[in-house]
Amino acid sequence: MNDKSKIKVMVALSGGVDSAVALHLLKEEGYDVSAGFMRNWDSLANSDILGNPTLGDPACPQEVDYDDALAVANKLGVKLYRVDFVKEYWDNVFTYFLKEYENGRTPNPDIFCNKYIKFDAFLKWARSLGFDYIAMGHYAKKVVINGLTYLGEARDTDKDQTYFLSQLSNKQLQQTLFPLGDLTKGEVRKIADSLKLDVARKSDSTGICFIGERHFRDFLKNYIPMQEGPIVDLTTNEVIGRHQGVFYYTIGQRRGLGIGGIKGRDDNPRWYVAKKDVSTNTLYVASDEESIYLQSTKITFTDLNFLTKEISDGQEIEVRFRYRQKKVKATFYKTSETTGKLLFPTPYLSVTPGQAVVFYDKGLCLGGAIINDIYFKEEKRN
RNA sequence: UGGGGCAUAGCCAAGCGGUAAGGCAACGGACUUUGACUCCGUCAUUCCCUAGUUCGAUCCUAGGUGCCCCAG
């Protein structure tokens, strides 16, 4: 434990700045470090055609990332492994992702990617090669208090990525290192700069992890066929437009509805998706972001997961319904080992079934769950 | 084929003789390891067509064309 040179760490190297700096920091600390590059998505084999902006590129983006990762590994004098989890990703993440969309919900694939790929398949693979820990370039902290391991929010609160780690087990957490927890993004880039890493100024990756930025509706059309149907104003019950398939839209969404001005109305409001009915293929919209149709005061959840300690019934905690959202207050209740509910002191907007709700208290991420039903004063809204 | 009304960008819609507001949508960008939200930018040399009046017409006149309403 004191002699870090005897501790073998496998750093997940993505080809971006964050994991490169994480690798460097661990090496500086004296760990016995190697790097692993994961490839989890094969655009051609996975029919990722429509909505894919990089299809025509001379070099596919993953190979560019691999080259970047290799350059980093070489510069830092570390061995780079390459490992392929395309099948595992499809079976454990993407299948779930599609099923959720087909049920009219909005999944968060990256949370499952962490749970099943980065912190499971990759972890097991590294362990099988004799590594003691894996390390990630996430902005998150591992905190040990009284012998218990907790997940702490990153010092860079703007980049904090604990939201995506909310479904991890304590064991997964214990076997992971997060070297960037006390650094800001700016500091990370400065370090990369001082090391003269080519990726120092590389822009942050966005879109689904390992897949990338996509025109989302077109992307889904590769897997879920179009099915036209009506768009109904939830306030008046009038049909005011047509959609291409309720699956393609998410609660709170404005763009993509194609609803222009309506004759006879003296306003031209923005319309937001308020409700999806898969059985009738109807998309319900509300005309104002403040509309009560977008608000909720209670939710139920499934997939309850605690990272370290359980939250007690009736406890007031802070929660997030989406990445980088300002934390808001809620009261926690458990209804079974894996389900429960949250009550809100004031209505919150566009809480979406299928998305993750993540629990926080005093700078620690306590765990999370998957949003199931949303209510406004006991009235079911989804 | 009697009367009345209206025709402005994909949609809604100002302008009513002086050289085309605004909103919605769409698209592009910023933000962003989900989906979203948000923010910024772009978007009618032209006002249904034709002829005329005028220094000048989307705005006036005439004739077309197309819708709508009332009366049949």
Side-chain angles (χ1 to χ4, degrees):
Chain A
M1 180 153 166
N2 294 324
D3 189 357
K4 289 180 175 171
S5 68
K6 290 193 175 144
I7 300 177
K8 296 185 70 178
V9 180
M10 173 65 81
V11 180
L13 198 62
S14 68
V17 218
D18 297 332
S19 56
V21 170
L23 173 61
H24 165 256
L25 293 172
L26 292 171
K27 191 157 182 286
E28 285 292 289
E29 278 193 65
Y31 288 103
D32 178 2
V33 193
S34 293
F37 178 87
M38 276 178 269
R39 176 170 168 275
N40 301 327
W41 186 253
D42 183 327
S43 284
L44 293 180
N46 292 348
S47 308
D48 172 20
I49 311 299
L50 285 175
N52 185 339
T54 61
L55 260 193
D57 291 7
C60 85
Q62 292 157 12
E63 293 313 314
V64 174
D65 286 339
Y66 177 72
D67 290 344
D68 288 343
L70 189 58
V72 168
N74 287 340
K75 193 144 205 162
L76 299 179
V78 164
K79 176 174 180 183
L80 179 66
Y81 294 79
R82 182 168 169 146
V83 61
D84 193 312
F85 295 121
V86 171
K87 183 180 187 316
E88 288 84 349
Y89 186 89
W90 182 274
D91 290 347
N92 294 310
V93 180
F94 208 68
T95 302
Y96 148 83
F97 170 84
L98 292 181
K99 199 184 108 234
E100 285 286 85
Y101 269 108
E102 282 163 358
N103 287 333
R105 292 158 49 107
T106 307
N108 185 323
D110 288 356
I111 285 184
F112 283 74
C113 176
N114 283 326
K115 180 174 181 171
Y116 292 113
I117 306 299
K118 292 180 187 171
F119 293 83
D120 187 65
F122 182 78
L123 174 61
K124 285 173 177 159
W125 169 79
R127 302 277 297 181
S128 75
L129 292 177
F131 286 85
D132 301 294
Y133 291 96
I134 56 169
M136 296 289 170
H138 285 97
Y139 287 86
K141 280 185 199 174
K142 200 162 109 173
V143 184
V144 178
I145 304 170
N146 296 330
L148 293 175
T149 305
Y150 293 84
L151 181 64
E153 289 184 90
R155 187 186 129 217
D156 188 339
T157 52
D158 191 50
K159 290 296 290 187
D160 174 68
Q161 288 170 323
T162 51
Y163 181 81
F164 294 106
L165 305 173
S166 55
Q167 285 289 332
L168 297 186
S169 69
N170 194 260
K171 191 178 172 194
Q172 287 171 313
L173 192 56
Q174 287 185 46
Q175 294 176 336
T176 305
L177 302 177
F178 294 116
L180 305 186
D182 284 310
L183 296 174
T184 64
K185 184 79 190 193
E187 290 166 347
V188 167
R189 284 202 187 277
K190 267 185 195 161
I191 292 170
D193 225 10
S194 70
L195 295 170
K196 298 193 173 15
L197 295 179
D198 293 332
V199 295
R201 304 249 161 69
K202 188 173 173 180
S203 56
D204 293 2
S205 64
T206 55
I208 299 174
C209 208
F210 296 113
I211 297 180
E213 206 71 71
R214 293 287 182 275
H215 182 289
F216 211 74
R217 206 183 325 155
D218 287 345
F219 175 68
L220 287 177
K221 283 178 187 171
N222 290 309
Y223 313 98
I224 303 174
M226 290 204 286
Q227 200 180 331
E228 273 203 38
I231 298 177
V232 174
D233 177 357
L234 203 46
T235 321
T236 64
N237 248 330
E238 284 170 17
V239 175
I240 58 172
R242 303 282 301 168
H243 68 258
Q244 306 179 320
V246 286
F247 318 104
Y248 304 145
Y249 302 85
T250 189
I251 303 300
Q253 179 172 344
R254 167 157 82 102
R255 301 193 65 198
L257 292 170
I259 304 170
I262 298 167
K263 215 174 178 68
R265 280 187 76 115
D266 52 357
D267 59 346
N268 291 306
R270 297 172 169 186
W271 294 92
Y272 294 87
V273 174
K275 179 177 173 174
K276 299 163 72 171
D277 189 333
V278 175
S279 64
T280 60
N281 197 30
T282 305
L283 195 64
Y284 293 93
V285 295
S287 71
D288 181 354
E289 206 192 346
E290 292 304 314
S291 162
I292 59 162
Y293 292 109
L294 292 168
Q295 299 178 348
S296 57
T297 57
K298 176 180 115 176
I299 62 166
T300 60
F301 56 75
T302 61
D303 296 84
L304 176 59
N305 179 63
F306 292 113
L307 282 152
T308 310
K309 281 177 157 175
E310 296 215 358
I311 300 169
S312 44
D313 263 7
Q315 186 177 337
E316 186 177 88
I317 54 173
E318 293 187 298
V319 302
R320 256 201 269 263
F321 305 106
R322 47 179 61 82
Y323 176 52
R324 283 166 57 86
Q325 177 198 20
K326 184 169 157 283
K327 288 180 296 230
V328 294
K329 291 193 186 316
T331 310
F332 177 95
Y333 293 95
K334 196 165 129 172
T335 51
S336 83
E337 276 310 298
T338 58
T339 63
K341 64 180 178 180
L342 291 174
L343 304 184
F344 309 147
T346 58
Y348 299 143
L349 277 174
S350 300
V351 179
T352 307
Q355 286 282 294
V357 57
V358 177
F359 315 133
Y360 293 89
D361 189 33
K362 301 182 181 71
L364 296 177
C365 175
L366 304 178
I370 301 299
I371 299 162
N372 197 38
D373 287 325
I374 54 184
Y375 296 83
F376 185 81
K377 301 187 191 302
E378 299 305 315
E379 180 190 333
K380 193 158 168 274
R381 273 290 157 76
N382 56 305

